[in-house]
Amino acid sequence: MKIVVLVKHVPDAQFDRHLSGPGNTVDRSESILSELDEYALEAALQLSEARGGEKGGNSVIALTMGPDGAANSIKKSLQIGAGEGYHLSDAALAGSDAAATSLALSAALNRIAQDGPIDLVIGGMASTDGETSLVPAQLAERLGWAYLGHAKSVDVDGDSVTVNREVDGHAEILQASLPAVVSVTDQINEPRYPNFKGIIAAKRKKTHPLSLSEVGLDASAVGTQGSLTVLDEAQERPARTQGTIITDEGDAGIKLVEFLAAEKLI
Amino acid sequence: MTDYGLSEEYQDLSDTVRDFADQVVAPVSQKHDEEHSFPYEVVQGMAELGLFGLPFPEEYGGMGGDYFALALALEQLGRVDQSVAITLEAGVSLGAMPVHRFGTDAQKEEWLPSLASGQALAGFGLTESEAGSDAGGTKTKAVLQDGQWIINGSKEFITNSGTDITRLVTVTAVTGTTERPDGTVKKEISTILVPTDTPGFRAEKAYNKVGWNASDTHPLSLKDVHVPEENLLGVRGRGYANFLSILDEGRIAIAALGTGAAQGCVDSAVRYAKERHAFGNMIGKYQAIQFKIARMQARAHTARLAYYDAAARMLAGKPFKSQAAIAKMVAGEAAMDNARDATQVFGGYGFINEFSVARHYRDSKILEIGEGTTEVQLMLIARELGL
């Protein structure tokens, strides 16, 4: 089975996030592999390992789209256990919205499929920066494959994939024929950390750089030009101001209640 | 000139262990410290990360790394939780390493895979009530009779010797006497592998320690313990020399742990100095606090350089005894001094156990005692100077 995992290089939520540059987009200088994509990678590795891993003819491929720094997310994926990586990078991709991103990724997947058909594409349920959750669904539409979103379990049996998803208090079991696109939640598994052997092994694994022309796309189809939505304006959230301090002069209780009532908290 | 920048794989390992320490270890540290409970779930996590196999070859289930890789992992763990770090340190450098260094192929095949994978732990039974750095005081005896060693004696302060996954303790024992050319008689000390399920072997009640509460430490008693003759580890009579070399390496590991603890205190103090306000400013704006923390940072940095240097010499096959002793002493003192200063920065909260600096304060004292006291390090350094 050949599984492609969509991995995204996102700003590290541990640090303060800032907007910068001409498009006022998120500063990506302190970025990491999106935490939610680690669940997708783990799900792919478990599916592969249950079938004998690479020796059993299975492969797990990490695919990312992003600037040079995104290579770090591929590296991390390879350290964790992916067999090879593809890094789609092109200056023209900057500013791509979900629609343009899914177009570019579908083209990259078609390019990867030239070396052998893909059975399954797995992604996280959202990116931890854009948070649109649109890309996997759009990707399935572009590829003409089934889409099974927000899975909390995924299993493959023969030519079909089954997922379990929980929505608003009820559970659904969805089944589709392969190939398919699946997005997984953070409930699906406990992602592993890379071990030292994996870190060393990753140095011998291949990352294939892909340019727009190599995936057969024109620069005008992606980036801000190819996007359906345009980021008009973005503002950083104003710094928090100091709250109200009530000094107890015998009437603090009353003042507290008045404050809470005024804020409609009681 | 040596460049102490880390190569990519060392840096990636260090970053991975840092994430593990922050995400998996830190959330349960206080609970295990309070309950004096062994963190089995953390040990399992470290096992999955391959940390117990870091310096061992892949053929025995190891990660194919080296001792410096282990030291880097220990620094990151020591920053967050010294009990967890010493559990790894003792498991690898005292438990498994003697088997790797001095064991026969059969001994390695029997023990290393389970130890390197972290599925089992081994302890190193050296210290006795009257023998530690002065091994001549060793009283535990082993007599060879009908192809079996019969061991009698007791040991003190043995780390990882009584957990549910402890399978082996390597003990030093007097196996005879040798006469020196000048006519004086010297004890012959050897090391023997004792599986913990051997009748007569017992890990006594765990100590109630000042710190390292989540680390497993017991006195051991050995009463007519019978093990096969082939459980002798290394050459008979070389036990003393063997454990000295194990301790030399171990000092680098302990230095790394101490460096981590010292750094953990710096990180906590910096964070707190930016949060806490007094007299109209965050306290980090006052030089009294700035200078204290700057000095703490200098100690952590110095300790790191010292253990990097000792490790680099060791990996290059150069003599490193003095450098390891210096690193161990400097890092242990840095941890203790930084823990004291960090608790001072925290004020009253520094005296409350739920704050990690308070735990570091209790935990760090042993770094000036275990694996050779500071005084023993000074002896070693002076001896290397020909004094």
Side-chain angles (χ1 to χ4, degrees):
Chain A
M1 189 165 54
K2 186 167 177 173
I3 309 172
V4 177
V5 181
L6 307 175
V7 296
K8 189 173 182 188
H9 201 56
V10 299
D12 191 342
Q14 274 192 61
F15 300 98
D16 291 338
R17 288 182 272 190
H18 296 289
L19 302 173
S20 70
N24 217 12
T25 49
V26 178
D27 180 355
R28 295 179 182 276
S29 51
E30 292 282 356
S31 291
I32 55 167
L33 167 63
S34 174
E35 196 188 324
L36 291 172
D37 295 340
E38 290 189 25
Y39 296 91
L41 179 57
E42 180 66 34
L45 291 171
Q46 287 183 11
L47 285 170
S48 163
E49 285 162 3
R51 285 156 186 77
E54 284 184 14
K55 284 178 192 152
N58 301 284
S59 61
V60 174
I61 295 166
L63 166 64
T64 196
M65 173 184 129
D68 290 352
N72 278 324
S73 283
I74 291 288
K75 186 177 91 172
K76 180 87 180 278
S77 305
L78 299 178
Q79 290 176 344
I80 291 171
E84 57 183 321
Y86 284 84
H87 180 189
L88 176 61
S89 186
D90 202 300
L93 288 163
S96 293
D97 68 353
T101 301
S102 62
L103 178 70
L105 288 175
S106 67
L109 286 166
N110 285 330
R111 163 68 191 77
I112 293 169
Q114 284 174 14
D115 303 328
I118 298 164
D119 298 294
L120 196 59
V121 172
I122 309 182
M125 64 179 183
S127 60
T128 54
D129 54 354
E131 294 183 35
T132 66
S133 295
L134 293 172
V135 170
Q138 292 179 348
L139 197 53
E141 178 67 20
R142 291 186 188 282
L143 294 165
W145 298 359
Y147 171 62
L148 304 92
H150 289 71
K152 61 169 281 193
S153 76
V154 56
D155 202 10
V156 171
D157 188 11
D159 284 341
S160 76
V161 56
T162 306
V163 310
N164 193 327
R165 66 195 297 260
E166 274 177 14
V167 204
D168 277 345
H170 72 278
E172 293 175 348
I173 294 170
L174 302 176
Q175 200 173 47
S177 296
L178 295 178
V181 179
V182 171
S183 79
V184 302
T185 72
D186 57 359
Q187 302 301 307
I188 191 168
N189 53 41
E190 195 58 51
R192 69 193 74 180
Y193 290 86
N195 63 31
F196 193 64
K197 219 190 294 185
I199 289 170
I200 300 292
K203 293 175 71 125
R204 295 192 295 267
K205 293 178 181 173
K206 269 195 186 144
T207 299
H208 312 274
L210 291 176
S211 65
L212 270 185
S213 60
E214 280 168 302
V215 300
L217 281 182
D218 192 77
S220 62
V222 295
T224 44
Q225 266 186 289
S227 290
L228 302 175
T229 54
V230 177
L231 179 68
D232 223 18
E233 194 185 334
Q235 286 173 349
E236 293 202 11
R237 190 183 298 165
R240 277 202 212 176
T241 52
Q242 190 173 358
T244 309
I245 295 173
I246 296 171
T247 311
D248 189 9
E249 289 159 353
D251 57 352
I254 295 163
K255 283 184 179 164
L256 273 173
V257 172
E258 282 172 353
F259 173 79
L260 291 172
E263 298 288 323
K264 296 195 167 44
L265 293 167
I266 51 173
Chain B
M1 179 57 209
T2 307
D3 172 11
Y4 287 119
L6 297 182
S7 67
E8 192 181 355
E9 58 267 30
Y10 283 137
Q11 187 65 56
D12 287 347
L13 170 75
S14 177
D15 290 349
T16 300
V17 180
R18 184 198 62 211
D19 289 347
F20 175 82
D22 289 340
Q23 292 159 10
V24 178
V25 182
V28 296
S29 289
Q30 191 196 337
K31 169 178 159 284
H32 288 299
D33 178 57
E34 271 177 21
E35 296 174 0
H36 293 224
S37 49
F38 189 73
Y40 287 102
E41 76 282 27
V42 171
V43 168
Q44 183 59 32
M46 293 200 290
E48 285 164 15
L49 252 175
L51 299 187
F52 286 95
L54 271 178
F56 303 118
E58 292 186 37
E59 59 178 305
Y60 293 116
M63 288 285 130
D66 54 33
Y67 211 82
F68 186 53
L70 172 69
L72 289 172
L74 289 169
E75 181 186 338
Q76 289 300 345
L77 292 167
R79 188 175 55 82
V80 167
D81 188 327
Q82 295 189 39
S83 287
V84 164
I86 194 60
T87 299
L88 176 66
E89 196 279 339
V92 175
S93 93
L94 300 179
M97 193 57 90
V99 179
H100 174 55
R101 285 260 191 273
F102 310 115
T104 61
D105 286 347
Q107 287 168 337
K108 287 192 226 179
E109 275 159 30
E110 182 178 1
W111 292 107
L112 276 185
S114 62
L115 297 176
S117 65
Q119 297 313 306
L121 285 173
F124 189 55
L126 159 69
T127 306
E128 298 184 6
S129 54
E130 292 180 30
S133 294
D134 176 14
T138 301
K139 286 189 176 148
T140 297
K141 278 196 172 60
V143 179
L144 189 59
Q145 200 178 305
D146 302 329
Q148 297 228 302
W149 291 104
I150 304 166
I151 312 168
N152 279 287
S154 60
K155 298 287 174 182
E156 298 282 346
F157 313 129
I158 310 305
T159 307
N160 290 345
S161 60
T163 74
D164 294 348
I165 56 170
T166 302
R167 297 284 175 267
L168 176 73
V169 173
T170 305
V171 299
T172 49
V174 179
T175 49
T177 52
T178 49
E179 199 174 320
R180 288 190 174 123
D182 64 2
T184 55
V185 174
K186 188 183 138 197
K187 284 177 183 170
E188 174 197 84
I189 293 173
S190 306
T191 37
I192 299 171
L193 300 171
V194 179
T196 50
D197 59 0
T198 312
F201 172 90
R202 212 165 80 152
E204 304 287 351
K205 186 169 176 283
Y207 293 97
N208 181 6
K209 299 176 300 232
V210 167
W212 286 10
N213 287 339
S215 142
D216 178 80
T217 326
H218 299 264
L220 304 179
S221 78
L222 300 110
K223 284 187 187 138
D224 290 328
V225 169
H226 286 58
V227 297
E229 183 177 0
E230 56 267 25
N231 278 27
L232 178 74
L233 182 66
V235 178
R236 180 170 176 168
R238 292 288 296 165
Y240 184 62
N242 288 353
F243 86 66
L244 281 186
S245 71
I246 287 292
L247 289 186
D248 278 340
E249 296 173 0
R251 287 188 182 114
I252 298 174
I254 294 288
L257 192 166
T259 301
Q263 191 65 53
C265 290
V266 174
D267 298 348
S268 296
V270 168
R271 220 168 21 244
Y272 189 72
K274 287 179 178 172
E275 282 170 18
R276 170 71 203 245
H277 285 70
F279 305 110
N281 263 318
M282 63 178 200
I283 60 171
K285 283 281 175 213
Y286 301 112
Q287 278 193 336
I289 300 295
Q290 287 175 359
F291 285 9
K292 202 178 279 296
I293 297 178
R295 214 173 265 287
M296 289 165 66
Q297 173 71 356
R299 290 188 199 113
H301 180 70
T302 308
R304 184 174 297 110
L305 291 179
Y307 96 72
Y308 276 21
D309 178 58
R313 295 178 68 90
M314 175 190 160
L315 294 183
K318 295 178 185 166
F320 65 95
K321 189 183 271 290
S322 177
Q323 288 78 11
I326 290 170
K328 197 269 173 187
M329 179 183 78
V330 167
E333 291 183 346
M336 190 68 243
D337 291 347
N338 279 13
R340 193 179 54 246
D341 282 351
T343 50
Q344 193 69 20
V345 169
F346 271 67
Y349 293 110
F351 201 57
I352 304 298
N353 273 328
E354 65 190 79
F355 287 84
S356 64
V357 291
R359 181 153 38 83
H360 275 308
Y361 184 75
R362 287 183 285 107
D363 284 350
S364 295
K365 183 59 209 170
I366 188 62
L367 291 169
E368 297 181 323
I369 300 171
E371 298 244 2
T373 58
T374 293
E375 291 71 20
V376 163
Q377 312 307 327
L378 291 168
M379 265 169 52
L380 293 171
I381 298 162
R383 198 178 292 160
E384 292 290 310
L385 293 171
L387 298 172

